[in-house]
Amino acid sequence: MSTAKRSYLSGLLLAAAGAIAFSGKAIIVKLSYRYGVDAVTIIMLRMLFALPFFIALGIWAERQTQARENPLTRRDALGIVALGFVGYYLSSYLDFLGLQYITASLERLILYLNPTLVVLLGWLIYKKPVQPIRMMAMAVSYAGVLVVFVHELTFTGADVALGGALVFASALTYAVYLVFSGQLVQRIGAMRLVGWATSVACVCCIVQFLVLRPLSAMDVPNPVLWLALLNAFACTVAPVLMVMMAIERIGAALAAQTGMIGPMATITLGVVVLDEPLNLWIGAGTLLVVGGVFLVTKYGEK
């Protein structure tokens, strides 16, 4: 097998593994809720364990030749703080809150609307034209989420509306991060932005806990600590590394399309680990969402 082919296959495997690992986040959060721990504490523990890695990533990125030749300005630092707050802290916190009310399967489908939100924000903010085929693709994706949402609303109750709204707000805030990070990424590089912006988010989550909860709230059951550690590394740090390595090998577009395995992985884990339902409605909604997002991604640069 040629070196190019090995690199291509390893890139596909890394992208798929990253998507599956990231999908486990919702499962771990739902398991943690079973111990009576709230979202503020769970996200603080996750970010506390992940913070050293992201600081190390930022320091490593600063030592690269390109970074040394292009030091961060005060404006860059403010941009990193703003994007870290909106794109990582606020988005993650809203997601964790929403998971208290909806299944992991519906959460993943709503978050998977993110590419369509990026397209819509680009149209609203930068007046970028949206091709008819992409409009149809987005309509298909939203129809898929609506199918699963209505089904869950019928059988679970009104809290699904609150949970769905919180997770949708999470997807929207992350889309805002993606839309406004473009110029900053070009100036300082993706590694520096990810390392420092996620570090900002980690600090925000820790400060939020210290403001809203007494220190005694850190006295959680041991399984919650182990779940937080697993969430931090297997579902936060590892996916970041794997996706970045995949992009280096196969490019961002193909890595994103390979990542469409994520919703299926979440649904499978939800059924196996959380005993969540699997029926025709969820299957149909998933196919619609993934199909629509595939078309949005496929025609993203055309």
Side-chain angles (χ1 to χ4, degrees):
M1 185 183 295
S2 66
T3 302
K5 190 171 183 179
R6 283 198 299 269
S7 178
Y8 179 80
L9 290 176
S10 65
L12 289 176
L13 289 174
L14 284 167
I20 293 171
F22 187 73
S23 297
K25 174 207 64 176
I27 308 301
I28 292 174
V29 172
K30 297 287 282 186
L31 288 173
S32 300
Y33 282 144
R34 293 180 176 181
Y35 292 91
V37 185
D38 65 7
V40 172
T41 304
I42 292 173
I43 196 171
M44 181 277 295
L45 292 172
R46 175 204 188 196
M47 294 305 209
L48 180 65
F49 290 134
L51 179 58
F53 165 80
F54 289 124
I55 291 177
L57 178 61
I59 293 173
W60 177 85
E62 290 295 336
R63 292 180 176 177
Q64 303 308 299
T65 302
Q66 183 180 2
R68 291 199 302 269
E69 296 175 350
N70 184 27
L72 294 176
T73 65
R74 185 171 181 271
R75 183 177 180 181
D76 294 333
L78 291 174
I80 289 171
V81 170
L83 290 173
F85 179 86
V86 174
Y88 288 107
Y89 158 69
L90 187 58
S91 179
S92 295
Y93 182 51
L94 291 170
D95 182 35
F96 276 49
L97 286 176
L99 276 167
Q100 295 178 103
Y101 308 107
I102 62 176
T103 62
S105 302
L106 179 56
E107 179 256 8
R108 180 54 44 192
L109 292 181
I110 294 174
L111 289 183
Y112 219 68
L113 294 175
N114 186 263
T116 70
L117 293 173
V118 171
V119 171
L120 291 173
L121 287 174
W123 172 68
L124 288 171
I125 297 171
Y126 299 114
K127 308 303 179 184
K128 293 182 178 179
V130 183
Q131 293 181 333
I133 190 170
R134 299 183 77 189
M135 293 182 185
M136 293 176 60
M138 288 188 287
V140 169
S141 289
Y142 283 87
V145 170
L146 188 61
V147 165
V148 180
F149 176 79
V150 171
H151 172 74
E152 197 161 310
L153 183 64
T154 302
F155 289 93
T156 307
D159 283 346
V160 172
L162 174 58
L166 288 168
V167 175
F168 184 80
S170 170
L172 182 59
T173 51
Y174 192 69
V176 169
Y177 161 80
L178 292 176
V179 169
F180 285 100
S181 65
Q183 292 183 348
L184 192 56
V185 166
Q186 290 178 0
R187 170 169 164 70
I188 72 173
M191 292 288 196
R192 292 167 89 187
L193 178 58
V194 170
W196 295 130
T198 47
S199 296
V200 168
C202 291
V203 172
C204 287
C205 291
I206 294 169
V207 170
Q208 174 184 254
F209 174 83
L210 294 175
V211 171
L212 299 179
R213 300 288 184 272
L215 286 178
S216 59
M218 291 188 68
D219 185 17
V220 297
N222 285 335
V224 174
L225 291 176
W226 287 112
L227 287 169
L229 190 63
L230 181 64
N231 199 352
F233 289 96
C235 303
T236 305
V237 172
V240 168
L241 280 176
M242 287 188 284
V243 171
M244 286 192 298
M245 292 168 66
I247 290 173
E248 289 178 350
R249 289 166 169 78
I250 61 176
L254 186 54
Q257 291 180 15
T258 305
M260 290 177 186
I261 193 175
M264 280 77 83
T266 302
I267 290 171
T268 302
L269 289 170
V271 171
V272 174
V273 179
L274 302 175
D275 295 322
E276 290 186 350
L278 178 61
N279 51 47
L280 181 63
W281 296 100
I282 294 174
T286 302
L287 289 176
L288 289 171
V289 172
V290 172
V293 171
F294 173 79
L295 290 175
V296 168
T297 305
K298 180 178 175 63
Y299 293 97
E301 301 299 329
K302 296 184 179 180

